[in-house]
Amino acid sequence: MSSTILEKEVQRRRTFAIIAHPDAGKTTLTEKLLLFGGAIQLAGMVKAKKDKKTATSDWMSMEKERGISISSAALQFEYKDHVLNLLDTPGHEDFSEDTYRTLMAADTGVMVLDAGKGVEPQTIKLFKVCRDRGIPILTFVNKMDRPTKELFELLDEIEKVLGIAAIPLVWPLGTGPDFKGVYSLADKKLYIFDKSSGGSKKSSFQMKGVDDPTLDENYDPELVKKFREDIELIEGGLGDFDKNDFLNGKCSPVFFGSAVNNFGIELFLNQFLDLAPAPERIPLQDGGFLDPITSPFSAFVFKVQANMNKMHRDRIAFIRVTSGIFERGVQAVHNRLDKPVKLASSFAFFGQDRNTVDQAYPGDIIGVINPGTFQIGDILSAGKAPDLKPLPVFAPEMFATLSAKDTLSLKSFRKGLEQLAEEGILHLFTSKTVGSGNSIVGAMGNLQFEVFQRRLLDEYKADTNLARLPFTVSRWIKSSDLEKIPSSANLVMDKNGVGALLFETEWDMNYFSKNNPDIELKEHPL
Ligand code: G4P
């Protein structure tokens, strides 16, 4: 296939993730985007899937019970001759290491804020990951039909809390019960919020500037006065939007709307296509970017999921194509194992449905069967593996020993332990001294433990005992330092055989460091 086709396919792709605090409207916005892309026909389908009793696995039913979104990896849809890959980022508060890694596969972030609540804790966490990864972020201020914060204060809050300039590209006429529409600053059009038609009817009119008398004829004088003052302020003071600043993470263009009413979404989506970068910005270790066109096929594993479907009982590794063309059956080199692998079965998932994928391009997400050889962060490539920046690993802060309640289930317990640890739900350690020979699990939050135990029971029929350990800090060490570790230290080995030390408090860790200055303590096992 010629590189011009590859070039065209790269240019028309946009791979992005929505980041939001739970309840801000991520699911609703996803659904509206899918409606625009024709990927679903009816409003309510994503919600229906979220609520469905016969969810794909019990893990998913647990997600449902707790209001956690479905863990499908990515949804692909077309819109205006573009191919959009929307990565699914679970929005729950406690269990976000997998979310962080998913963001590594995105080229753009869409930050959804609840207009009444502004920047919330989970938004901050996810925003920081996007910023560290260097991906540009668009902001969609949702629920404009409900009482909102003062909007200039909200923009200020984004700047102060997140440290990024917030530049409105549209501005609302009224808010809450008085929300009448949004004005596009670039094309000077006012899009009217038509609640009676479900908001989906595109009514707009071109205004001859903000002094256009049509405004006075149609709307409350107070509302119009405030709107004019706002626009004057924005056009006078807030500075022009600079696309390069956006691409470099210095500013975020801000849109306003109401996802549930399907209002402001189309305006947002059209600008999104213009602003969001094509999949050309996968960062390399040396600070540069991987060229998706001249480099041969490459991809990295960012998510591993066991038991996607009870019927299939298979494990899937989700890969994000970073360069070249993926053709089903391609022979690739597995960088960690330094072994050839044939990628014979490749799928796209939509809820419970899976379809074979024969070809994929940079930016695309595909699921490949994982016979146990793929781990998060592995690189597969037809040529030399690109030197991609490694995916983040977080040093766990909670620890427990885990054992099977019943010796009969020991075999499936071990299998479950290994397969679920592979997914990166939590860290698995072993030790001869800590936890009296049991498996030690490490997590960032309690929910990870709960999910792990529940899945061991549901998917592997292994009932388990979990006993919390008193540690709150962990640090990896270099293998060359292993021999120097004093016997009093709480030494454990992770599943890849890398040593780590557990401490009860930060103070203990600092004390250890002071007494053992030649042992390097690392937050990442690399
Ligand atoms: P999440 O995925 O970010 O957690 O949020 P989700 O889309 O599930 O939305 C959370 C709630 O906010 C939902 O209400 C949803 O209908 C509502 N919502 C989303 N967008 C808007 C909006 O623009 N305006 C208003 N007023 N509400 C909005 P729910 O009662 O939890 O669920 P449902 O019964 O409506 O489905």
Side-chain angles (χ1 to χ4, degrees):
M1 189 166 298
S2 77
S3 71
T4 49
I5 293 180
L6 175 57
E7 253 174 80
K8 188 168 166 267
E9 291 300 332
V10 166
Q11 285 314 319
R12 75 192 195 105
R13 272 168 168 74
R14 302 287 182 271
T15 300
F16 68 110
I18 300 178
I19 59 170
H21 191 85
D23 228 35
K26 190 184 66 138
T27 314
T28 314
L29 180 64
T30 300
E31 176 171 287
K32 302 303 172 190
L33 294 175
L34 294 177
L35 275 171
F36 275 111
I40 56 173
Q41 273 71 46
L42 276 177
M45 275 182 69
V46 175
K47 278 275 190 218
K49 279 184 194 287
K50 191 168 155 181
D51 298 339
K52 215 164 173 176
K53 285 280 180 289
T54 55
T56 302
S57 71
D58 290 331
W59 148 237
M60 290 179 186
S61 65
M62 179 163 176
E63 289 185 306
K64 190 196 65 199
E65 275 166 29
R66 306 195 66 129
I68 303 168
S69 72
I70 285 179
S71 60
S72 66
L75 301 166
Q76 187 177 71
F77 58 99
E78 289 208 23
Y79 179 70
K80 289 199 169 169
D81 201 33
H82 284 74
V83 178
L84 286 88
N85 293 306
L86 170 52
L87 287 147
D88 188 17
T89 45
H92 41 104
E93 281 174 63
D94 210 15
F95 178 40
S96 30
E97 208 172 327
D98 57 342
T99 308
Y100 290 157
R101 285 187 297 250
T102 295
L103 288 173
M104 298 299 116
D107 296 319
T108 309
V110 171
M111 176 166 74
V112 179
L113 301 181
D114 180 327
K117 296 191 176 147
V119 179
E120 296 180 83
Q122 185 73 349
T123 331
I124 302 175
K125 277 198 209 164
L126 295 168
F127 175 86
K128 282 190 180 146
V129 183
C130 291
R131 193 181 49 196
D132 291 349
R133 156 87 165 77
I135 64 173
I137 295 165
L138 294 97
T139 304
F140 185 83
V141 179
N142 190 32
K143 304 199 186 182
M144 287 301 294
D145 58 316
R146 311 261 308 150
T148 70
K149 286 191 161 186
E150 209 289 309
L151 296 183
F152 285 108
E153 278 170 22
L154 181 63
L155 296 182
D156 242 26
E157 188 180 323
I158 297 173
E159 303 211 8
K160 288 213 177 82
V161 180
L162 302 176
I164 191 168
I167 308 214
L169 295 193
V170 306
W171 194 255
L173 172 62
T175 61
D178 296 326
F179 181 46
K180 302 294 176 206
V182 290
Y183 175 67
S184 164
L185 287 145
D187 62 11
K188 300 202 184 309
K189 268 190 186 162
L190 182 66
Y191 293 80
I192 310 299
F193 175 37
D194 186 355
K195 223 176 174 177
S196 56
S197 66
S200 55
K201 209 173 95 193
K202 281 170 279 170
S203 43
S204 70
F205 66 85
Q206 185 98 33
M207 285 181 12
K208 297 179 202 76
V210 282
D211 292 328
D212 195 320
T214 331
L215 278 177
D216 305 284
E217 287 156 26
N218 287 295
Y219 302 105
D220 175 62
E222 277 306 304
L223 209 64
V224 174
K225 184 167 167 264
K226 168 89 171 70
F227 174 71
R228 285 188 174 131
E229 285 167 5
D230 287 355
I231 299 291
E232 203 177 322
L233 253 174
I234 292 165
E235 289 182 334
L238 275 182
D240 286 335
F241 172 72
D242 179 331
K243 188 170 172 182
N244 276 326
D245 281 352
F246 157 69
L247 291 175
N248 294 322
K250 292 201 181 105
C251 75
S252 177
V254 180
F255 298 81
F256 297 88
S258 168
V260 81
N261 291 296
N262 201 8
F263 187 76
I265 314 282
E266 195 178 6
L267 200 59
F268 166 76
L269 192 52
N270 289 334
Q271 298 249 21
F272 170 86
L273 295 184
D274 279 349
L275 295 174
E280 297 171 311
R281 293 168 69 90
I282 292 289
L284 295 169
Q285 287 273 40
D286 65 6
F289 294 103
L290 176 68
D291 187 327
I293 292 157
T294 55
S295 317
F297 162 70
S298 70
F300 67 89
V301 179
F302 67 95
K303 179 181 170 110
V304 171
Q305 175 99 45
N307 310 318
M308 280 284 289
N309 185 328
K310 274 190 171 167
M311 302 286 286
H312 293 275
R313 274 247 161 246
D314 48 12
R315 286 182 281 171
I316 302 289
F318 288 98
I319 61 175
R320 139 103 201 211
V321 181
T322 43
S323 62
I325 300 171
F326 166 85
E327 312 249 16
R328 190 161 62 86
V330 66
Q331 280 282 355
V333 175
H334 185 306
N335 77 322
R336 186 174 47 84
L337 303 178
D338 196 19
K339 267 184 19 194
V341 281
K342 188 175 157 109
L343 304 174
S345 311
S346 39
F347 304 100
F349 292 85
F350 194 97
Q352 293 183 63
D353 308 325
R354 60 169 79 184
N355 293 310
T356 292
V357 172
D358 291 320
Q359 231 166 31
Y361 296 93
D364 290 348
I365 310 298
I366 43 180
V368 295
I369 300 284
N370 178 18
T373 40
F374 298 128
Q375 278 184 20
I376 290 159
D378 286 346
I379 300 170
L380 310 169
S381 57
K384 186 177 168 292
D387 205 6
L388 303 179
K389 268 196 169 170
L391 298 189
V393 176
F394 297 85
E397 293 169 4
M398 292 181 175
F399 301 85
T401 57
L402 196 66
S403 52
K405 271 191 184 160
D406 170 3
T407 46
L408 286 176
S409 64
L410 213 56
K411 202 171 154 210
S412 53
F413 166 72
R414 291 216 177 99
K415 185 175 166 198
L417 211 57
E418 186 196 314
Q419 294 193 351
L420 296 182
E422 201 174 65
E423 283 185 23
I425 295 179
L426 35 65
H427 293 271
L428 190 60
F429 298 100
T430 50
S431 169
K432 291 197 176 67
T433 50
V434 186
S436 55
N438 284 320
S439 295
I440 298 165
V441 284
M444 298 291 283
N446 245 329
L447 183 57
Q448 275 167 274
F449 289 143
E450 272 181 56
V451 166
F452 202 77
Q453 279 191 287
R454 172 78 172 261
R455 287 191 60 186
L456 280 171
L457 184 62
D458 288 346
E459 295 167 27
Y460 300 90
K461 304 284 168 270
D463 206 356
T464 50
N465 285 318
L466 184 122
R468 286 292 294 273
L469 292 164
F471 310 110
T472 64
V473 182
S474 60
R475 289 292 181 269
W476 277 276
I477 55 168
K478 289 196 291 199
S479 57
S480 53
D481 284 342
L482 261 178
E483 301 208 324
K484 299 184 212 155
I485 304 297
S487 58
S488 58
N490 301 306
L491 175 66
V492 295
M493 304 303 281
D494 76 7
K495 68 178 175 12
N496 293 321
V498 183
L501 296 175
L502 308 184
F503 303 96
E504 289 195 21
T505 62
E506 196 92 8
W507 189 91
D508 290 340
M509 179 183 72
N510 293 334
Y511 185 78
F512 178 90
S513 278
K514 223 170 99 194
N515 288 318
N516 300 278
D518 55 335
I519 298 175
E520 194 189 335
L521 299 181
K522 305 186 312 164
E523 285 193 54
H524 309 282
L526 294 164

